[in-house]
Amino acid sequence: MTSLHPVDTRLPWPRLLVFGIQHVLIMYTGCVTVPLVFGAAAGLDKSTVALLISADLLVAGIITMVQSLGLGRFAGARLPIITGATFVAMSPMILITKDYGIQAMYGSLLLGGVLGIALAWPFAALVRFFPPLVSGTVLTVVGISLIGVAGGLVVGSDPTAASFAAPSRIALAAAVLVVALVCTVLGRGVWSQLGVLIALIVGIVISIPMGLIELGGVSKAAWFGAPHPFHFGAPHFPITAVVAMTIAMAVIFAESTASMLAIGEITGKPLTRADLARGLIGDGLSAVLAGVLNSFVDTIFNQNVGALANTRVYSRYVTAVSGAILVVLGLIPRFGALVAAVPQPVVGGVGLVLFATIAVIGVDTLRKADLSDRVNLSIIAVSIGVGLVPVLTKGMFEKFPSSAQILLNSGISLAALTAFTLNLLFNHTALGEYARGALTSATPTPDPDATDTVAAT
């Protein structure tokens, strides 16, 4: 009898629930940050932002379940995927809201999602141009760039605050990191797999006497809060706004493709074009739901990809449970406020482990490429350099048009586009043969007589 792949294995309910909670705690802060930032930029009041957060969690939960379990043959990669709101579309959403109004923003999001669904299958046909050379490069950039995000959670977001970069915050993150390391390396069985959750719990306990747990928002949050479709009114569809959002969807598709290939690499499950297409349709579906329910377009959360590699629990039913939990959090804001009370240094501490794990996986993937080939080595070097530029040099592209910044400010997208293009040029055209021929002719041929003389000496 053929045994099930680990991705398709159903764990006992207690383990499904515990590992599902672990995924939610890892992704929650990143997920709710998007509505908080957008709400502030759009000048929305706190009650409206609270509605956006609930809708955001609800849509993230629905799409996570779709990606994990599948929606017939239409959508869902059927992989252990956690989705949440992406910052890729943040810039166009804010600009569209300021220029055309929030109804146009949600209208362009809805129509951009419809166009994304239509383009999913053609986009998935490009998978053969994503060999380890490309996917490994993107994973390395993803891991390195996200380490800065984890560091930001540790030190804080307000440089003027007294607690910014306080030694106590850094010490707390370090303690969480050590606990995660000890559990993962020295733990046995399920204790090793739950290292991240144990570290989070220990961090929360340590945070209590430090006064970092703020529960004031829990009592103020409502018990029930279902989002209302088209809360801001009927959607509008300005052509310029729709085009900008469609470009953002293409960037999201590139990131999601790399993330799905990474999950296939980690879990050992080869992905077909149909798997990728259904996964991309899930992204498009999230934009459609977002346009209706006043939420935001989702993408695969790479911190949870790191958790897969760290825990080695690959069951897609675990992430389906995470999706169900997110739906509950979206419908019961008080539960969401309780999860939001986890201090940022605690999340940042485990994030350092998970994001660095992604980078290591990227390096390991690159080992499958022919690194003795100087052309391949140059492709990797240039792609990583280009991908890390916007991460390490803030504001580098701020004078470019806003439509261009959608791509240029995303290091992951830049790395993916650069590696994809260079791989296409040098490994799928005559240009690559010419380049390798030039390198071969430039390499001096050893003199047999000289070799014999040296050997004799």
Side-chain angles (χ1 to χ4, degrees), residues 373-451:
D373 184 332
R374 281 190 286 174
V375 173
N376 285 345
L377 201 62
S378 298
I379 292 173
I380 296 168
V382 170
S383 301
I384 290 178
V386 170
L388 290 179
V389 161
V391 177
L392 302 178
T393 312
K394 298 298 183 184
M396 182 171 182
F397 301 112
E398 65 181 11
K399 294 185 178 180
F400 282 67
S402 57
S403 57
Q405 290 185 43
I406 297 171
L407 172 64
L408 297 176
N409 284 330
S410 171
I412 299 171
S413 299
L414 271 184
L417 181 61
T418 304
F420 173 83
T421 303
L422 293 180
N423 177 65
L424 197 64
L425 284 174
F426 290 105
N427 286 320
H428 294 274
T429 70
L431 185 61
E433 297 177 9
Y434 175 80
R436 289 176 175 84
L439 288 173
T440 302
S441 62
T443 303
T445 303
D447 185 348
D449 295 333
T451 303

Side-chain angles (χ1 to χ4, degrees), residues 43-56:
L44 303 178
D45 58 63
K46 290 185 177 179
S47 60
T48 303
V49 172
L51 290 175
L52 297 184
I53 291 174
S54 294
D56 177 40

Side-chain angles (χ1 to χ4, degrees), residues 127-222:
V127 64
R128 68 189 184 93
F129 299 116
F130 282 84
L133 178 70
V134 176
S135 59
T137 298
V138 175
L139 280 173
T140 303
V141 172
V142 167
I144 295 173
S145 61
L146 287 177
I147 289 174
V149 175
L153 291 173
V154 173
V155 301
S157 57
D158 184 5
T160 62
S163 61
F164 181 79
S168 58
R169 293 177 67 101
I170 297 173
L172 174 59
V176 169
L177 189 151
V178 169
V179 172
L181 177 64
V182 169
C183 291
T184 302
V185 175
L186 301 180
R188 293 293 181 267
V190 70
W191 296 108
S192 173
Q193 297 169 332
L194 289 174
V196 172
L197 181 58
I198 294 170
L200 286 168
I201 293 173
V202 171
I204 292 170
V205 172
I206 297 174
S207 302
I208 295 174
M210 295 176 66
L212 295 177
I213 302 289
E214 298 181 4
L215 298 177
V218 177
S219 59
K220 297 178 182 178

